[in-house]
Amino acid sequence: MRHRARIGIPLALALALATTGCSATTGAPAPKGEPAARTAVLGSCGRQLSFDRPPQRAVALDQASTETLLELGLQDRMAGTANLKTKIPAQYQDAYAKVPVIAPKIATGEQLRAATPDFVVAGSTDLYTKDRAGTREELAALGVPAFVSAVDCPQQNEAGKSPFELLFSDYELLGKVFGGEERAGRLAQEQRAAVAKAGESAAGATARDGKQPTVVYLYSVFNGMPYVAGRTGLPSEMSRIVGAKNAFDDVAEDWPEVSWEEVARRDPDFIVIGDLSERGRPGDSAAEKRAAMAADPVVSKLAAVRENRIIEVPGIELDPSVRSVHALGLLAAGMKDLGHVR
């Protein structure tokens, strides 16, 4: 099946698109009731994407992209979603119910082409491979623009932009593509305000020794080993905003596997636990992570563990998404409750 996906994407997807007339760049006439055609051109992670008209059959390849499109009110323009990691939050459930699920996990080329998309959206480039949805080059050759969140390729964007600003630029670019600039701009403005509010505590952030407080973000525990936030993940930026320091900022990965001994050696002032209980894997829930720390002979002796200096946040919100500002707010409030903000 994997070999077939590699060879069959271009021809089969081309036939599907030719049959349905869904290509975004072929100049096909807009459906009745649609606004007059207009050309939109934008850059996305090193590729130029162009649109003759707003997409009518968008497919989101991951949960973050799905929830962004739903937040922008685009459920009626969506032909599919995939790769759901946790439950869809209540505010999106009605809209989500209107969108076909083309794959419960990572979508294959066959599943994508069966949805006959005219636009594909993903949070990361690794979903666009030959044995997954197909490469961006293959899709482009067929007239199907493939969007990737700017957060996944900061080196190909304007220098100096923070991960949150890159996330907000996604909203604005998607608003331009779909002709919903006003709603996208309003969302970006609201979330910028949330970031600014969380940052108000930064000037007063302090550890008990008067220095900048340090934090370890515990994302998951797999086979007994902890996975924490490294320098390139969103939590490092969250830490900077609220005046803390990620204790694993020296590791150039998003979520590296480390040892409990190394966590103990960093001796953080507090710990953020990402609760992934809805994902259902062993070690995902906040309770399991607390139990793992309490059972470890070294980590259990840390002041942060003994004194319950722990903040729980939804784990999915520690990866870039429309919900990440919520986790940022929980982090700022938790630091205040723990006495790390004067």
Side-chain angles (χ1 to χ4, degrees):
M1 184 64 71
R2 179 173 294 182
H3 182 67
R4 180 182 173 187
R6 286 185 179 134
I7 294 176
I9 287 175
L11 177 58
L13 186 50
L15 290 174
L17 292 172
T19 300
T20 59
C22 287
S23 174
T25 57
T26 59
K32 291 181 180 180
E34 282 297 309
R38 63 185 182 88
T39 299
V41 180
L42 58 93
S44 175
C45 282
R47 295 193 66 87
Q48 289 293 308
L49 311 182
S50 62
F51 303 81
D52 292 335
R53 58 184 172 90
Q56 302 299 308
R57 297 188 58 78
V59 170
L61 294 179
D62 55 19
Q63 184 163 355
S65 300
T66 295
E67 292 181 3
T68 296
L69 295 182
L70 295 180
E71 180 67 37
L72 293 174
L74 297 169
Q75 58 271 14
D76 293 334
R77 306 280 193 89
M78 296 177 67
T81 73
N83 200 20
L84 192 70
K85 291 184 177 179
T86 63
K87 293 179 181 178
I88 292 290
Q91 67 266 34
Y92 303 134
Q93 285 178 0
D94 289 345
Y96 180 76
K98 299 178 180 180
V99 184
V101 177
I102 67 169
K105 299 298 183 181
I106 294 175
T108 64
E110 287 92 344
Q111 291 166 327
L112 177 61
R113 66 177 175 256
T116 61
D118 58 2
F119 183 39
V120 187
V121 185
S124 61
T125 55
D126 64 6
L127 294 173
Y128 294 112
T129 61
K130 288 182 177 295
D131 58 351
R132 291 185 170 185
T135 68
R136 299 178 76 198
E137 291 77 12
E138 289 172 328
L139 294 171
L142 299 168
V144 182
F147 182 90
V148 181
S149 171
V151 185
D152 194 53
C153 48
Q155 71 282 0
Q156 293 173 313
N157 294 281
E158 183 181 337
K161 274 197 171 185
S162 72
F164 275 107
E165 277 302 320
L166 293 175
L167 187 61
F168 303 156
S169 74
D170 286 347
Y171 309 157
E172 293 164 340
L173 288 176
L174 290 169
K176 180 180 179 182
V177 169
F178 285 95
E181 291 94 337
E182 182 177 350
R183 182 162 180 167
R186 186 166 61 247
L187 173 61
Q189 183 179 16
E190 290 170 354
Q191 295 208 346
R192 284 189 178 100
V195 170
K197 180 175 176 59
E200 291 174 358
S201 62
T206 180
R208 298 192 176 190
D209 59 2
K211 299 179 181 179
Q212 185 181 36
T214 59
V215 53
V216 164
Y217 294 83
L218 182 58
Y219 187 75
S220 64
V221 177
F222 184 69
N223 288 336
M225 301 301 290
Y227 286 74
V228 302
R231 182 174 71 242
T232 58
L234 187 63
S236 279
E237 174 65 9
M238 291 180 169
S239 303
R240 186 195 66 77
I241 290 170
V242 299
K245 179 178 176 58
N246 178 8
F248 284 92
D249 252 355
D250 59 323
V251 182
E253 296 180 40
D254 285 4
W255 298 107
E257 176 186 349
V258 297
S259 66
W260 289 117
E261 290 77 11
E262 189 60 26
V263 171
R265 192 179 74 81
R266 308 279 170 134
D267 192 15
D269 293 295
F270 65 101
I271 297 168
V272 172
I273 287 179
D275 184 13
L276 291 167
S277 54
E278 292 177 350
R279 190 170 70 170
R281 298 177 186 173
D284 271 352
S285 73
E288 289 172 301
K289 294 180 177 84
R290 284 179 177 272
M293 290 191 294
D296 185 85
V298 180
V299 172
S300 60
K301 294 181 172 59
L302 293 179
V305 177
R306 287 187 292 101
E307 299 175 14
N308 195 32
R309 287 191 257 136
I310 295 172
I311 301 169
E312 292 185 17
V313 305
I316 194 172
E317 296 179 2
L318 293 175
D319 286 316
S321 78
V322 74
R323 289 199 266 161
S324 295
V325 293
H326 177 252
L328 178 63
L330 293 177
L331 174 61
M335 284 181 61
K336 185 175 182 180
D337 291 343
L338 291 174
H340 287 304
V341 177
R342 291 195 298 269

